[in-house]
Amino acid sequence: MAESRSTSSSSGDRNEINGGGEFSFGRSRSIGRNGLAKIQTQKQSTTSDEVCHDDSSAPVKAQTLDELHSLQKKKSAPTTPIRSSGSPHLFTISEEDRQKQQLQSISASLASLTRETGPKLVKGDPAKKSESNQKVTHHHHFNYAAPTIAVSDSSLKFTHVLYNLSPAELYEQAIKYEKGSFITSTGALATLSGAKTGRAPRDKRVVKDETTEDELWWGKGSPNIEMDEQTFLVNRERAVDYLNSLDKVFVNDQFLNWDPENRIKVRIVSARAYHSLFMHNMCIRPTPEELEDFGTPDFTIYNAGQFPCNRYTHYMTSSTSIDLNLARREMVILGTQYAGEMKKGLFGVMHYLMPQRQILSLHSGCNMGKDGDVALFFGLSGTGKTTLSTDHNRFLIGDDEHCWSENGVSNIEGGCYAKCIDLSREKEPDIWNAIKFGTVLENVVFDEHTREVDYSDKSVTENTRAAYPIEYIPNAKLPCVGPHPKNVILLACDAFGVLPPVSKLSLAQTMYHFISGYTALVAGTEEGVKEPRATFSACFGAAFIMLHPTKYATMLAEKMQDHGATGWLVNTGWSGGSYGAGSRIKLAYTRKIIDAIHSGALLKANYTKTEVFGLEIPTEIEGVPSDILDPINTWSDKKAYKDTLLHLGGLFKNNFEVFLNYKVGKDSNLTDEILAAGPLF
């Protein structure tokens, strides 16, 4: 034993037990049983309050995981004091009062019309219970004195408000709580709009009252389907009750119209993160300073699209109803989750509000050259409006909705809503590159593993869409405003093959073709039948206009006359025969025509006049074969050309009959002028 102890004490290679009773591995790495290193005890210096940590960095300032998570996010603070209305001096209100004013405004928006007060609101995600409860107690708990008759389960609960969340926050909400929400390989948020994958125009209604009865366009050809005030209030109550029954609602306060003198404040209350992110992208996003002074909105949308309307309610023909009340400045959505209803609903509102200010609202694309020359592009689906208005040599003001005021043109929206079917990097590089983090992708199909989108897949719908902020387009002009347009370009894809590739229009002709809104679609190829079908949409957007088309056309002609703009009709369709016999006009030729319009070269060209439509066509354009400029030259069968021309002229005449009952000008002289600008035979 003595020899053993001596050997052990003299060898630093062995493991020992010291007086401290603590174990450690010896320096010699001596091998014990089973090949494991022997354990050696060492005295270690410790203090009772030391926290175990990695010596390579300073310890975190947290004692629990919850505290650590709270350090991860810092609060966004207001940046601008609020001006006092009674004093020129600035003063700062507390964050608590600011939040209280904000919630009171939202509560007023969500108030039932049968009760004296709005719902009890608290800011924040209900999932964060500890944080939310603290806010309720100390900041946002309002004890409303509601009458006894109004007591219900909903009046005893709080509704959490998720207010103007950022895209990142909305991603988290969508991924966590909304089935069918995924992040694609490029970072976009893929969502589903439910059973409805497009707008429901037959379920859209407008309240007809003493004012709108005289102001709006009603009857044959009009998109406005009437409903009464009482029915609107029933649907509003249904939507508001549904939203108030939820644990949380999303609220967006944003703007429409980039012209600061004529912008509209809009509030969108919705139940889905998808809807909130969609409108975040499509409306103009306020700065923190603007949001602090937002106040009461000019218009409010109640999107309860997950909840159906009551089929027994008067005027209801399905479980879907999109209702506009222009007097109350409100819109109610029931029974459809398709986000485009909100975008186009607000466009309809602008078609009503802006003309009251002598501002023309337009369904058009708009771009501007480096010298400040602005062009408007009108055209229905398939005419090339998006392709031709997106020009890397020009700035994009907007792709869809605009206003023309005394200040010039301005985009109504803050984003783009692009079709995605068959999208490719080669055909539409700007749209392709815009589909990244923050973009909403509607109803697309993607690989379940890689999350790469297959834009050719129509399994859900052919109407796949991408909604993204306009600044995602590299040559977007910010702010999205420009001077008065020099050129107004009306695009038509004439599958009959009888309209010239380009023609210069008089003011009366511009009004006639603007009201007509013509293009032609190919019907199909069943059993070898290939026949084009004429499509007319007043003002190139009949589904969204509120007033009679002639009112918008008159405003357009007045502004063109006042500011020296020229009207053009550009055919991007067929030449040398109708669809099936002729061929489509080459895109390269159409681009040369558009370039000649922008440069002013076409104003200096020599012109001849066509039969029937009386269109002025140039005799030559640089880079375009002269023989295609007059369509009769490209048809081998001249009789077939004249027959087809007369057939199309007849379709124009039949379509225009619905507009003849509206008289414009002294003794209807302008109506006669417009009519005379159409086909004559």
Side-chain angles (χ1 to χ4, degrees), residues 392 423-434:
H392 290 167
L423 178 69
S424 68
R425 189 194 300 268
E426 294 73 31
K427 290 181 181 178
E428 301 285 357
D430 286 345
I431 297 174
W432 179 276
N433 292 327

Side-chain angles (χ1 to χ4, degrees), residues 162-194:
L162 301 180
Y163 183 72
N164 274 49
L165 295 191
S166 67
E169 292 172 305
L170 291 168
Y171 265 56
E172 292 166 5
Q173 291 288 325
I175 297 297
K176 190 171 183 180
Y177 300 111
E178 296 179 14
K179 192 173 182 180
S181 298
F182 299 90
I183 300 175
T184 69
S185 60
T186 61
L189 180 69
T191 66
L192 293 172
S193 64

Side-chain angles (χ1 to χ4, degrees), residues 553-674:
T554 304
M555 290 183 70
L556 177 62
E558 288 173 351
K559 290 187 179 298
M560 288 177 66
Q561 192 168 37
D562 291 344
H563 302 289
T566 306
W568 306 90
L569 180 63
V570 174
N571 174 24
T572 62
W574 269 255
S575 177
S578 297
Y579 175 82
S583 59
R584 189 151 191 186
I585 298 169
K586 291 181 179 179
L587 178 60
Y589 295 160
T590 303
R591 287 197 183 279
K592 288 288 185 183
I593 290 169
I594 298 297
D595 289 343
I597 291 173
H598 290 323
S599 68
L602 266 189
L603 289 174
K604 303 170 185 176
N606 296 317
Y607 286 86
T608 61
K609 187 170 283 192
T610 66
E611 295 180 298
V612 181
F613 281 89
L615 299 170
E616 290 193 10
I617 56 175
T619 55
E620 59 179 346
I621 301 173
E622 186 179 349
V624 181
S626 296
D627 61 331
I628 74 166
L629 295 177
D630 190 342
I632 194 171
N633 296 333
T634 63
W635 283 62
S636 57
D637 188 338
K638 307 303 181 186
K639 182 179 183 303
Y641 165 77
K642 291 186 178 181
D643 289 344
T644 307
L645 182 63
L646 290 171
H647 173 64
L648 182 60
L651 294 176
F652 267 83
K653 277 181 170 290
N654 292 338
N655 172 72
F656 214 82
E657 284 180 2
V658 73
F659 308 119
L660 296 181
N661 60 345
Y662 191 84
K663 305 302 180 185
V664 186
K666 295 179 180 178
D667 301 321
S668 304
N669 62 324
L670 189 52
T671 304
D672 297 335
E673 234 182 287
I674 296 170

Side-chain angles (χ1 to χ4, degrees), residues 78 82 91-105 138-140 142 292:
I82 293 179
F91 70 94
T92 304
I93 67 170
S94 68
E95 177 64 9
E96 181 176 340
D97 288 340
R98 190 191 308 277
Q99 297 280 356
K100 184 175 180 180
Q101 289 176 4
Q102 198 176 73
L103 286 175
Q104 284 174 334
S105 173
H138 299 292
H139 296 290
H140 311 304
F142 305 119
E292 288 165 18

Side-chain angles (χ1 to χ4, degrees), residues 98-260:
R98 190 191 308 277
Q99 297 280 356
K100 184 175 180 180
Q101 289 176 4
Q102 198 176 73
L103 286 175
Q104 284 174 334
S105 173
I106 297 170
S107 180
S109 293
L110 281 168
S112 162
L113 299 178
T114 61
R115 293 185 283 273
E116 292 185 4
T117 61
K120 298 175 181 178
L121 301 179
V122 59
K123 219 170 183 183
D125 188 344
K128 302 173 184 177
K129 292 181 180 178
S130 59
E131 184 180 350
S132 300
N133 289 340
Q134 185 178 1
K135 287 187 176 182
V136 171
T137 304
H138 299 292
H139 296 290
H140 311 304
H141 191 163
F142 305 119
N143 293 311
Y144 294 108
T148 305
I149 194 172
V151 172
S152 65
D153 287 349
S154 62
S155 69
L156 300 176
K157 67 179 280 292
F158 281 90
T159 299
H160 291 73
V161 174
L162 301 180
Y163 183 72
N164 274 49
L165 295 191
S166 67
E169 292 172 305
L170 291 168
Y171 265 56
E172 292 166 5
Q173 291 288 325
I175 297 297
K176 190 171 183 180
Y177 300 111
E178 296 179 14
K179 192 173 182 180
S181 298
F182 299 90
I183 300 175
T184 69
S185 60
T186 61
L189 180 69
T191 66
L192 293 172
S193 64
K196 301 279 187 180
T197 57
R199 290 182 299 104
R202 294 182 181 179
D203 294 310
K204 184 179 177 182
R205 294 170 179 81
V206 184
V207 172
K208 190 174 186 178
D209 53 29
E210 292 180 358
T211 302
T212 58
E213 183 176 8
D214 296 328
E215 290 182 340
L216 301 194
W217 178 28
W218 304 101
K220 186 180 178 181
S222 168
N224 301 316
I225 304 172
E226 69 175 90
M227 73 186 308
D228 58 31
E229 174 88 5
Q230 180 62 28
T231 303
F232 174 85
L233 295 179
V234 169
N235 282 352
R236 182 193 186 277
E237 192 79 351
R238 190 171 176 89
V240 166
D241 282 346
Y242 168 75
L243 292 167
N244 288 339
S245 73
L246 303 175
D247 286 336
K248 64 186 178 188
V249 293
F250 298 89
V251 177
N252 292 40
D253 281 349
Q254 296 182 252
F255 299 116
L256 296 177
N257 197 354
W258 282 83
D259 178 358

